[in-house]
Amino acid sequence: MRKWHANPWAVLVTLSLGFFMTLLDLTIVNIAIPEMIDGLGASLDQTLWVVSGYALVLAVLLISAGRLGDLFGPRNLFAAGLAIFTLASIACGMAAGPALLIAARAVQGLGAALLVPQTMTLIVSVFPAQRRGAAMGIWGMVAGLATLSGPTLGGILVSTVGWRWIFLVNVPIGLAALALTFLVVPDIRHGRKHRFDVMGVLIATAALFCLTFGLQEGEHYHWGPGIWALLAAGASLVAGFLLNQRGKQDQEPLVPFTLFRDRNFTVMTVLVALVSMAMIGLVLPFNLYLQSVLHMSAIKAGMVLAPSSLVSMTVGPFAGRLSDRIGGKYLLMAGLTLYATGMLAIVLTAGVATPWYAFIPATVVTGLGIGCVVAPMSTEAMRNVEPRLAGAASGVNNTIRQIGAVIGAATVGALLQGRLAAELATGKTYADAFIATMHVTAILPIAVVMAGALACLLVRNHTKAKPADPVPAVATRETTPGR
């Protein structure tokens, strides 16, 4: 394996294995919700926490983990994250009750948070500038493929070997990725010492918990004064966090504001949240519709979304390379418009007895749209970021991605529960009530995707590849012995 050590493409494959697992676990659980409810005697609210609890811990710790990578080395944090994630996956697969499963999912979130930001940092470090766009395009394609293939893979596992295997399937992948980490990924360290902003971490953690718990549990507590107080506290803590970070810009903040001087990074940071919200906002209600209204098996429900995954997987790498040549602005606008069109077509096609094949055109369009979005989105976000800020930029970008997923899951979950109860109260059958509910909940993902398309008008388009750095990024890094 010596010839593969520090080889950029071997490193990218290793990083992609770990990254794929963490994002797959955001959506693979959705398809198993009915089985988990029956198998564990859990409520819908508890199973939604199985989804959002993982995303919450992941979102809270990503920025901190990015800085820890700067301190202890990104390879070490990536390996630690893989080990924790793999062990937690075993605990999830063996959980005897909903509380234990939620706790194990939180530990999974910790492992994912440690490894995810290191992927961007290592890509920026091992790839020279002229090939970085293509590498980030593949990285982004992996993100889209993982998110979209979750329901398909989950459906196969649930229908054949049971819902517990949606977690246990991570074990061989995690072990393989861990072995490859020490064989091919270089131990990159920067000579400068780093500080760790403990106060910033505490404020950010409290803010995200207040906001997510309020959104997730709002319907359960009938949107009473306590919930609104919690949401207000979360908003206040966000403001406090920004003030805290403003006072530390001359030291080493968790969020360097200088990143946002790059307009494209700022726009892509907003866009990644909107896209995450939209993807969760589509997958969650659509999977429930397929199983609870059309009475499909988990595997058949997963296969309905398979065309979207296949098209996205095919288009993603080409979109990444194309954005490196001509820029991502118009690719992003076209992809977002296609994705919104596909979502609208799915909702309009859904009926009480719609055959599965009627959804193929719509799912193909959504796959084409997301394939044109995820890779260029990642490429444009990191294109102008200095290597010394790669860890912070990766932490911020991935944190915003997961915040969008948390808000999307919490908001759509609340809309589903509240609207479905209201529709059933009018005397409608469950099927008619759920379809009416889908029409309402679809407004959220479609609206945020179109808002993202409009935001892309602000992107400064990259029209041709920049010349290579005078000294490749790999050669300029400082590697120091383990400390």
Side-chain angles (χ1 to χ4, degrees):
M1 294 294 294
R2 286 183 180 178
K3 68 177 181 179
W4 295 108
H5 181 73
N7 178 285
W9 298 107
V11 172
L12 181 60
V13 169
T14 304
L15 300 176
S16 296
L17 281 174
F19 187 52
F20 181 86
M21 280 198 311
T22 62
L23 292 187
L24 182 72
D25 268 41
L26 282 171
T27 56
I28 196 172
V29 175
N30 293 321
I31 198 75
I33 284 177
E35 284 75 15
M36 286 191 293
I37 289 174
D38 293 338
L40 296 175
S43 66
L44 176 60
D45 185 63
Q46 287 174 317
T47 52
L48 288 174
W49 266 107
V50 172
V51 178
S52 60
Y54 170 80
L56 172 61
V57 175
L58 178 56
V60 166
L61 299 179
L62 277 168
I63 294 177
S64 306
R67 281 306 192 198
L68 285 173
D70 291 336
L71 185 62
F72 297 107
R75 186 189 73 169
N76 291 340
L77 266 291
F78 183 79
L82 279 173
I84 293 172
F85 187 90
T86 303
L87 290 172
S89 296
I90 296 174
C92 288
M94 298 176 66
L100 291 174
L101 180 56
I102 292 169
R105 284 283 283 171
V107 178
Q108 261 194 328
L110 169 62
L114 291 176
L115 74 88
V116 166
Q118 317 313 327
T119 59
M120 274 190 176
T121 303
L122 287 164
I123 288 171
V124 170
S125 297
V126 302
F127 278 89
Q130 68 270 24
R131 290 192 292 169
R132 203 172 293 152
M136 290 304 302
I138 294 174
W139 182 91
M141 181 271 292
V142 170
L145 178 61
T147 305
L148 290 174
S149 62
T152 304
L153 179 58
I156 294 172
L157 292 172
V158 169
S159 297
T160 54
V161 291
W163 66 265
R164 294 181 184 275
W165 280 90
I166 66 175
F167 303 113
L168 296 176
V169 73
N170 294 325
V171 177
I173 301 173
L175 292 175
L178 190 60
L180 285 172
T181 298
F182 292 105
L183 289 171
V184 304
V185 179
D187 186 12
I188 298 169
R189 309 285 184 98
H190 296 283
R192 185 166 65 94
K193 289 186 177 181
H194 296 273
R195 298 178 181 178
F196 191 65
D197 183 6
V198 176
M199 183 57 67
V201 170
L202 294 175
I203 297 173
T205 301
L208 288 168
F209 176 80
C210 290
L211 292 173
T212 306
F213 186 88
L215 288 169
Q216 178 69 41
E217 298 295 304
E219 183 65 28
H220 180 74
Y221 290 101
H222 308 291
W223 297 101
I227 290 295
W228 289 109
L230 201 62
L231 293 173
S236 299
L237 286 167
V238 169
F241 174 73
L242 294 176
L243 289 174
N244 170 269
Q245 294 298 289
R246 181 182 179 185
K248 296 185 177 182
Q249 291 302 302
D250 58 344
Q251 301 171 24
E252 192 157 7
L254 284 174
V255 180
F257 289 174
T258 187
L259 289 171
F260 297 96
R261 293 176 185 170
D262 176 19
R263 181 192 295 179
N264 284 13
F265 181 84
T266 303
V267 175
M268 293 303 103
T269 299
V270 173
L271 185 60
V272 76
L274 297 178
V275 170
S276 294
M277 289 178 63
M279 293 177 78
I280 294 294
L282 169 66
V283 170
L284 180 58
F286 189 42
N287 278 326
L288 289 174
Y289 158 78
L290 293 174
Q291 293 186 72
S292 65
V293 176
L294 297 187
H295 305 293
M296 291 184 180
S297 64
I299 187 170
K300 190 170 183 179
M303 293 303 292
V304 169
L305 282 176
S308 183
S309 302
L310 293 173
V311 173
S312 174
M313 179 175 62
T314 303
V315 171
F318 293 101
R321 288 199 293 269
L322 189 59
S323 69
D324 207 31
R325 294 181 181 179
I326 67 170
K329 179 175 182 175
Y330 299 111
L331 274 174
L332 286 166
M333 294 179 69
L336 290 166
T337 302
L338 284 170
Y339 193 58
T341 302
M343 285 192 290
L344 180 61
I346 285 174
V347 173
L348 295 179
T349 303
V352 294
T354 305
W356 65 268
Y357 51 81
F359 293 106
I360 291 178
T363 55
V364 167
V365 173
T366 59
L368 180 60
I370 207 65
C372 290
V373 167
V374 178
M377 186 167 59
S378 300
T379 304
E380 294 303 321
M382 299 297 288
R383 187 184 298 282
N384 301 318
V385 173
E386 299 176 39
R388 67 181 181 86
L389 295 176
S394 176
V396 170
N397 188 267
N398 282 289
T399 296
I400 298 301
R401 181 195 303 273
Q402 300 310 323
I403 290 173
V406 169
I407 294 175
T411 305
V412 171
L415 281 172
L416 275 173
Q417 293 181 73
R419 193 64 209 169
L420 183 59
E423 293 290 344
L424 289 171
T426 65
K428 292 181 179 177
T429 63
Y430 177 84
D432 289 331
F434 197 95
I435 291 169
T437 299
M438 276 187 67
H439 290 162
V440 174
T441 57
I443 295 173
L444 173 66
I446 292 173
V448 298
V449 164
M450 293 314 299
L454 292 175
C456 288
L457 292 172
L458 300 174
V459 172
R460 287 175 176 157
N461 204 34
H462 168 74
T463 55
K464 62 179 180 179
K466 294 182 179 180
D469 293 342
V471 181
V474 175
T476 60
R477 67 176 183 263
E478 268 188 84
T479 305
T480 60
R483 285 172 280 170

